[in-house]
Amino acid sequence: MRNIAAGMQKKVWQIRPASRDAAKLAQSLNISPLVAQILINRQLDQTEPARAFLSPKLSDLIAPEQMFGISEAAACIRQAIESRKKISIYGDYDVDGITSVAILWHLLQMLGAQVDYYIPHRIDEGYGLNSDAVRRLAAGGTELLITVDCGITAVEPVRLAREMGIQTLITDHHQPGAVLPDAAAIVHPRLDPAYGNPHSAGAMVAFKLAWAVANAYKKGVQLSAPLRQYLLNATTLAGIGTIADVVDLRGENRVLAGYGLKALEASNLVGIRTLVQTAELYAADVNSYAVAFRLAPMLNAAGRMGHARLAVELLTTESEVRAIQIAQYLKDQNRLRQKYQLDIFKQARQRIVQMGLHHPDRKTIVLADENWHTGVIGIVAARIVDDFYRPTILINTGEGIGQGSGRSIEGFNLHAHLEACSDYLISFGGHEMAAGLRIEPSRIAAFAEAFEASAEQAFREKMPASCLTIDAEVRIADFTERLMKELNYLEPFGQGNPKPLFAVRGVKLIAPPRKVGARSDHLQLSIADASGAVRCIGFGMGNLEKKLLEIDTFSVAFEPQYNTYNGRTDLQFVLSDIQFE
């Protein structure tokens, strides 16, 4: 976990109030009051919804036919298979898109379809369905084009595809535009206001379509054994895509992500098994953290540093030798991505301070550089938001046309503000919290001014504070073996169901803190309150060593975890913030 205290923006602690209903809910579910409090914080204050949250079942998934456009799309796919039409699956280059492509490719291969896939190059082509790609697919004989995790705003490319004799199916989950593409069918969770899960990831949409197509091949009331096994494998792919895409992990998304993680251990997909092994993990131990910070970065490295087609090949190959080659390559590329990310972050941070973009009166950060790698700037923008808590856009200008990536803060709809500044842009797309854009380099300065003015209108009262939401104020002794086991019931963690965060006030050092790490930028410390003592690790908090030695008491916000070292397992607190009394 990154240190929040070391950033330029001080966090405001928002400690959730203790609920009077926690004891009653705890009794009805036979869990500790603290876990019951966390469930209430997640808006699960009734017994049955809370029970369903703790024990999700595949039967809780919404039937695929309820999603807008699925029945029409499934019928088109079956007709294409039976007519021996060439099918191309067109996916985005991130983990959500990669897993979505793999989900549909595996099924169509199993059903005997003539199918291939196309992933646009992040730098050369950019996000989404593009007209040049449509021309290439048409030249290659594609007759049915299925988009996954993209396409809902591709009005012109879909029109071109129709003119060139290609039937198009759109499956997407991003914000639709004012005009929808003239496709044969559009599968989208937001086009029906009554649909129960409008915040599906692209992989969920692809999984639901695959499920509907599989249902079309039922013989009797049940799927054949191969199709049942396929769908179980597909839950793992869809679960990884769902976690990586940072959608709300409550309700149906939680069901799919949780079951996908459980099914991973039994998966017979060569690429998944090899990916896990190359990341030095055990399948049984893969949780949402491992997906988000170990597996997903490796898959994303293909698209960020080169071409994401390699990642799809990993998830679709049956060759163990080829899977090992690709997985090791992705691991190496991810290491390179980490180096680029750190270098760009240091440069950007220095320029922010030099240019005064961190001044309290500033509302946004827009920076451009011809040497910043396009595949990495989105991650760096997210880190800058963590440190400075301002909507941030970083732009690479090295290829003649500026390609930018932005990240936002709560309450600032990035997509809407880019739309307000669209006169300065060639194109843009995304959603409330993350977006991409293309811009003429000569217009960047004017765009930055317009973007800042738009933010000033949004934050007329005052700039919102960077907040740390804490589930409960606790004692060190509260973290018993039983409680730690119950906290695992809350997995998988993510948007809408963050990993529980706690606070202990008035703690003291019981030994001098120690800087650790290759650059001595992390901090080990042991603390105590009236109830007990515990060891802590503060990543990136090495600069607080002297401050801690100068004071008597302080407060910590943390995530509890077990740490195993030299064969011994102990409780430790992973610090998110330190506040001084």
Side-chain angles (χ1 to χ4, degrees):
M1 166 171 289
R2 290 194 64 252
N3 166 39
I4 299 173
M8 300 289 289
Q9 179 75 29
K10 182 179 179 180
K11 293 282 184 179
V12 174
W13 286 12
Q14 291 185 336
I15 300 178
R16 302 295 295 268
S19 172
R20 292 176 295 179
D21 298 326
K24 181 180 177 182
L25 184 63
Q27 186 175 17
S28 68
L29 296 171
N30 193 27
I31 57 175
S32 66
L34 188 53
V35 174
Q37 176 65 53
I38 295 167
L39 290 172
I40 291 170
N41 294 347
R42 307 293 183 268
Q43 300 175 342
L44 295 161
D45 54 359
Q46 301 298 315
T47 299
E48 290 313 311
R51 194 188 308 279
F53 182 89
L54 294 173
S55 303
K57 299 179 179 62
L58 274 179
S59 57
D60 295 332
L61 292 176
I62 302 168
E65 292 76 15
Q66 292 188 34
M67 187 179 290
F68 184 93
I70 272 193
S71 297
E72 295 86 348
C76 286
I77 291 173
R78 182 169 187 179
Q79 192 275 329
I81 294 171
E82 294 174 353
S83 301
R84 302 297 295 163
K85 290 182 178 180
K86 183 176 180 182
I87 303 172
S88 294
I89 307 167
Y90 188 109
D92 189 19
Y93 38 66
D94 67 1
V95 175
D96 194 20
I98 290 163
T99 52
S100 298
V101 170
I103 287 167
L104 284 178
W105 186 90
H106 278 291
L107 177 65
L108 297 181
Q109 279 278 313
M110 180 182 294
L111 296 176
Q114 296 187 61
V115 59
D116 62 10
Y117 52 84
Y118 186 100
I119 310 292
H121 192 281
R122 179 189 288 265
I123 297 174
D124 296 342
E125 298 177 78
Y127 168 79
L129 183 63
N130 68 81
S131 294
D132 287 341
V134 169
R135 294 185 184 97
R136 283 192 287 271
L137 290 167
T142 294
E143 297 169 275
L144 176 63
L145 175 61
I146 307 171
T147 73
V148 291
D149 193 32
C150 64
I152 193 61
T153 60
V155 175
E156 179 57 27
V158 171
R159 184 197 62 77
L160 177 63
R162 180 183 288 275
E163 289 179 357
M164 303 191 80
I166 298 177
Q167 187 181 38
T168 305
L169 305 179
I170 303 292
T171 80
D172 201 353
H173 69 120
H174 293 97
Q175 182 68 40
V179 179
L180 296 178
D182 187 17
I186 298 178
V187 181
H188 199 294
R190 299 192 198 183
L191 293 182
D192 179 0
Y195 186 66
N197 183 16
H199 301 296
S200 301
M204 171 73 86
V205 178
F207 175 79
K208 288 293 186 69
L209 177 57
W211 185 1
V213 172
N215 283 343
Y217 284 84
K218 274 183 181 177
K219 294 180 179 177
V221 296
Q222 282 195 330
L223 293 171
S224 65
L227 282 174
R228 286 201 304 273
Q229 180 58 50
Y230 156 76
L231 284 175
L232 292 179
N233 285 339
T235 64
T236 294
L237 291 170
I240 291 172
T242 294
I243 292 169
D245 211 50
V246 200
V247 295
D248 194 316
L249 283 186
R250 290 173 290 184
E252 184 183 45
N253 293 336
R254 172 179 173 78
V255 173
L256 185 63
Y259 196 88
L261 292 178
K262 290 176 184 175
L264 190 150
E265 189 174 7
S267 175
N268 59 11
L269 294 178
V270 173
I272 288 291
R273 294 202 311 266
T274 306
L275 180 70
V276 171
Q277 291 165 4
T278 306
E280 300 177 30
L281 297 168
Y282 294 102
D285 298 330
V286 173
N287 56 17
S288 55
Y289 181 89
V291 170
F293 295 99
R294 301 284 289 278
L295 303 183
M298 285 176 62
L299 290 172
N300 263 330
R304 293 190 184 282
M305 308 305 297
H307 203 298
R309 188 176 176 89
L310 268 179
V312 179
E313 185 182 349
L314 173 65
L315 298 182
T316 55
T317 186
E318 294 182 357
S319 166
E320 291 194 9
V321 172
R322 182 59 177 154
I324 291 170
Q325 290 173 338
I326 296 173
Q328 186 58 52
Y329 174 79
L330 295 184
K331 186 176 183 179
D332 294 341
Q333 288 295 291
N334 191 46
R335 290 195 183 114
L336 183 61
R337 185 271 305 169
Q338 290 169 331
K339 179 185 181 303
Y340 282 4
Q341 178 182 327
L342 182 59
D343 290 346
I344 296 170
F345 176 71
K346 287 179 177 178
Q347 293 170 26
R349 204 174 191 278
Q350 184 178 34
R351 285 169 60 179
I352 288 166
V353 174
Q354 288 175 344
M355 297 168 65
L357 298 180
H358 64 312
H359 190 278
D361 291 342
R362 289 286 307 187
K363 306 296 188 293
T364 64
I365 293 171
V366 178
L367 292 173
D369 193 286
E370 63 180 10
N371 296 313
W372 288 348
H373 196 293
T374 304
V376 178
I377 53 177
I379 312 174
V380 179
R383 284 200 61 183
I384 291 173
V385 171
D386 280 348
D387 270 15
F388 297 97
Y389 206 65
R390 289 165 173 78
T392 298
I393 296 174
L394 301 185
I395 303 170
N396 169 273
T397 57
E399 300 296 323
I401 296 295
Q403 297 194 55
S405 189
R407 297 296 185 270
S408 193
I409 63 176
E410 288 297 326
F412 187 86
N413 186 325
L414 183 57
H415 185 274
H417 285 273
L418 289 180
E419 190 168 22
C421 303
S422 60
D423 287 348
Y424 300 92
L425 305 174
I426 297 171
S427 62
F428 68 96
H431 50 80
E432 291 91 339
M433 299 302 291
L437 60 84
R438 298 176 75 238
I439 184 172
E440 293 284 354
S442 61
R443 308 206 75 186
I444 291 174
F447 163 72
E449 288 184 17
F451 189 60
E452 175 73 11
S454 184
E456 285 178 353
Q457 283 291 106
F459 300 132
R460 279 193 299 267
E461 301 292 325
K462 66 174 182 176
M463 195 74 179
S466 176
C467 296
L468 199 61
T469 301
I470 295 171
D471 280 291
E473 192 172 321
V474 294
R475 306 173 308 147
I476 292 174
D478 290 335
F479 293 90
T480 62
E481 186 175 343
R482 177 192 171 186
L483 177 63
M484 293 297 291
K485 183 178 180 180
E486 289 182 0
L487 289 175
N488 285 331
Y489 298 160
L490 303 174
E491 275 273 7
F493 298 117
Q495 185 76 18
N497 180 38
K499 201 165 186 181
L501 192 64
F502 304 98
V504 178
R505 292 197 181 276
V507 301
K508 295 183 177 182
L509 289 173
I510 56 175
R514 185 166 67 96
K515 290 184 179 181
V516 295
R519 295 184 295 272
S520 296
D521 51 351
H522 309 317
L523 197 65
Q524 279 186 349
L525 57 156
S526 295
I527 61 172
D529 66 2
S531 73
V534 68
R535 293 187 67 180
C536 307
I537 180 73
F539 293 111
M541 294 185 178
N543 61 318
L544 298 180
E545 178 189 29
K546 291 182 180 179
K547 178 73 172 178
L548 287 167
L549 289 170
E550 293 171 355
I551 60 167
D552 292 327
T553 64
F554 54 96
S555 300
V556 295
F558 63 92
E559 295 174 1
Q561 68 171 216
Y562 281 126
N563 180 52
T564 300
Y565 184 73
N566 285 340
R568 178 177 172 178
T569 299
D570 294 299
L571 176 69
Q572 78 170 2
F573 290 173
V574 181
L575 302 184
S576 296
D577 197 14
I578 297 176
Q579 285 195 348
F580 301 103
E581 305 299 325

